[in-house]
Amino acid sequence: EKIRMSTVLLYFGDAFWCTVPYNGLELYYELSKTHKVIPVFMNNDIRLHKTWRGDEKFWFDVNEFKKIPYIETNNLLNVYRANNCDMCIMPCQMQHKEKFAARNRNMKNAGAILSFWDCGGADLLYCNSDGVGWNYFFAKGDAWKNTVCNSISPIHNSKEDSKLMFSCGSLDFDELFLNNDLVVKIDTLSKLQFCKKYDLDSHRPIIAYIPSNPRPDNNYIYPSGITARQALNDINNTLTDLIASDGYQICFKTHPGDYISTESQSEYHGLHPRAQLGGYDKPRYETQDFNNFTTISAEDGYNLYRNCDFGVTNYSHAGFELSLVKKPVISYRMKECIEWQYVENLCELVYTDAQDGNQIKDIILNSKFKDVLTDRELTHFFGNVDGTAYKNICKSVDEILSVT
């Protein structure tokens, strides 16, 4: 008797991250080796329909997505049923937002099997299975899985989740590693190439400035009473002084949603919901506050991480990415924020926390950074440190479908 090949619906997600423009493609190619894969996008998705004006601060090749036999739809459940699918896989980014969570719950209630792959920040900790609808979750590493399954996070209540979660790494991190075998790669720039592209001096130190998403800039208040705007002003002034007095070069990598803030919902879907609602309508890289810094294009984020000397942030989890390439990161009062407590002692190990601009300067000028994570620590927190999360996810899918 001929065994039917499993059919997997691979949904490329509701939010397009221009810093990881080809996210999901490697998973498609790897899954296709052993399963029938149905790649699905939202109708009029930016990944399929982007047209270029020439002034964008991000770039990707639409044709890389058009090479695969995709389906466009606004009804995932219909496609799932029509193709007799055994599983739907999607990124967890934004799935905790009620608009998407309600759709996912409806699919699960209709009998669809949903699995999420983890992303770069702390999305997993908002994506509880009952509220969001997943059956299986592909987490970054054992530390993340343990945090959820031991109910440190109040949104999970059962250690039975350990049977539903798999430590696989994160597809968002795969581009960081030079020894991967990705089918679709972003350009990898040496330090000389990177400096030439952005008119930098390869002999002078480079700081990666990576603030968190722009929405809180005007309304977030640290527990100590300092506003996010005051924090950014302090950081900006400190880094500007370092340019003038100490010869540092500051490369500004803003939030993914900031880069696409000038894209219109009426042109295509797949944008971050805040961009659709106008939450990113004033990109920070176009404001006077950041004129002293070199703004890099979104797809060069990983090239910046590889070629910088260290990073500075307010409370962005981009520090996790820097730690994977063994670069230290300074955070600004992040230790007093709830984000510090997300997963075991990860933030304590990754960030050198500063109370103000003077302390940032002292850490930099006197090299008071914490040691970077060891390989053992990296493996515990991020599962894989070789850029093969997509292969690990496929192995887990094989295991799941062989049982179900």
Side-chain angles (χ1 to χ4, degrees):
E1 181 180 354
K2 186 176 181 180
I3 299 175
R4 181 180 72 87
M5 180 180 289
S6 298
T7 301
V8 177
L9 189 160
L10 178 61
Y11 182 51
F12 279 75
D14 308 283
F16 167 68
W17 281 153
C18 53
T19 50
V20 196
Y22 304 117
N23 202 358
L25 280 177
E26 303 307 320
L27 189 54
Y28 167 79
Y29 288 119
E30 190 71 15
L31 279 168
S32 296
K33 295 177 181 178
T34 51
H35 304 278
K36 179 182 178 182
V37 184
I38 312 296
V40 178
F41 297 83
M42 187 186 299
N43 277 338
N44 208 26
D45 192 288
I46 185 175
R47 282 157 281 207
L48 300 172
H49 299 281
K50 170 65 185 172
T51 57
W52 298 98
R53 302 185 305 265
D55 60 347
E56 293 92 345
K57 287 289 185 179
F58 66 96
W59 188 88
F60 66 95
D61 187 349
V62 172
N63 293 318
E64 293 294 349
F65 292 100
K66 292 190 173 182
K67 290 177 182 177
I68 64 178
Y70 62 86
I71 293 174
E72 289 185 79
T73 184
N74 286 330
N75 194 321
L76 281 181
L77 182 58
N78 280 357
V79 176
Y80 188 94
R81 286 171 166 168
N83 289 275
N84 194 23
C85 294
D86 298 284
M87 174 185 287
C88 173
I89 306 178
M90 64 177 72
C92 73
Q93 284 165 321
M94 306 307 300
Q95 298 305 321
H96 58 279
K97 300 295 184 182
E98 183 55 28
K99 172 183 175 181
F100 309 123
R103 177 202 59 202
N104 299 340
R105 291 195 302 270
N106 289 338
M107 289 184 67
K108 184 177 182 180
N109 291 337
I113 304 298
L114 302 184
S115 56
F116 291 177
W117 79 69
D118 205 355
C119 300
D123 301 87
L124 163 58
L125 301 178
Y126 294 107
C127 285
N128 64 304
S129 54
D130 290 337
V132 179
W134 55 262
N135 301 90
Y136 301 99
F137 204 105
F138 309 125
K140 281 184 278 289
D142 286 342
W144 297 81
K145 175 180 173 180
N146 295 341
T147 295
V148 173
C149 296
N150 292 331
S151 300
I152 295 174
S153 172
I155 60 174
H156 287 272
N157 300 307
S158 175
K159 291 188 178 182
E160 288 299 304
D161 282 343
S162 62
K163 300 176 182 178
L164 310 176
M165 299 186 67
F166 302 82
S167 298
C168 295
S170 170
L171 293 172
D172 283 19
F173 298 149
D174 282 354
E175 291 282 6
L176 277 169
F177 304 99
L178 300 178
N179 60 336
N180 56 32
D181 57 349
L182 303 180
V183 174
V184 183
K185 296 187 177 185
I186 58 172
D187 290 337
T188 300
L189 304 178
S190 67
K191 186 164 187 177
L192 285 175
Q193 290 170 324
F194 181 81
C195 289
K196 182 177 181 180
K197 180 174 181 178
Y198 291 101
D199 195 24
L200 302 169
D201 185 344
S202 62
H203 300 291
R204 290 165 54 201
I206 296 173
I207 301 176
Y209 181 21
I210 42 176
S212 64
N213 81 69
R215 185 72 176 268
D217 287 0
N218 295 317
N219 56 23
Y220 180 76
I221 299 177
Y222 287 82
S224 58
I226 294 176
T227 68
R229 187 66 256 178
Q230 289 173 319
L232 283 174
N233 288 341
D234 194 8
I235 296 170
N236 290 356
N237 292 336
T238 300
L239 296 180
T240 299
D241 287 346
L242 286 168
I243 295 172
S245 61
D246 299 282
Y248 283 86
Q249 301 170 109
I250 317 298
C251 287
F252 176 51
K253 178 200 173 296
T254 188
H255 187 271
D258 212 1
Y259 286 109
I260 61 172
S261 59
T262 55
E263 302 293 321
S264 169
Q265 183 183 15
S266 63
E267 290 181 79
Y268 22 59
H269 295 287
L271 298 179
H272 191 296
R274 286 182 187 156
Q276 295 176 10
L277 297 172
Y280 293 131
D281 60 349
K282 295 180 181 179
R284 285 176 293 189
Y285 59 80
E286 293 182 358
T287 65
Q288 187 173 358
D289 293 339
F290 300 91
N291 283 348
N292 292 325
F293 313 133
T294 299
T295 300
I296 65 159
S297 296
E299 71 276 7
D300 275 333
Y302 290 154
N303 284 312
L304 171 61
Y305 295 162
R306 294 186 192 102
N307 292 307
C308 73
D309 293 272
F310 56 87
V312 174
T313 186
N314 48 357
Y315 44 86
S316 172
H317 284 100
F320 300 165
E321 297 167 325
L322 274 164
S323 68
L324 286 165
V325 287
K326 302 285 191 175
K327 301 294 175 69
V329 190
I330 299 173
S331 59
Y332 189 100
R333 289 185 174 268
M334 190 172 169
K335 195 170 186 176
E336 67 186 63
C337 303
I338 190 173
E339 286 88 348
W340 193 267
Q341 306 297 329
Y342 271 156
V343 178
E344 297 183 5
N345 61 339
L346 175 59
C347 289
E348 183 69 37
L349 291 170
V350 168
Y351 297 99
T352 306
D353 201 52
Q355 292 295 298
D356 53 35
N358 289 330
Q359 194 170 4
I360 289 176
K361 187 178 291 188
D362 180 54
I363 293 168
I364 292 172
L365 296 181
N366 295 294
S367 297
K368 294 182 178 179
F369 299 99
K370 290 181 180 176
D371 293 335
V372 296
L373 270 65
T374 65
D375 288 343
R376 185 174 182 178
E377 289 166 337
L378 286 173
T379 301
H380 177 60
F381 286 108
F382 300 107
N384 69 303
V385 290
D386 56 3
T388 56
Y390 63 100
K391 290 186 177 181
N392 294 332
I393 290 173
C394 288
K395 291 177 183 176
S396 297
V397 171
D398 290 343
E399 179 182 336
I400 294 165
L401 293 180
S402 68
V403 174
T404 58

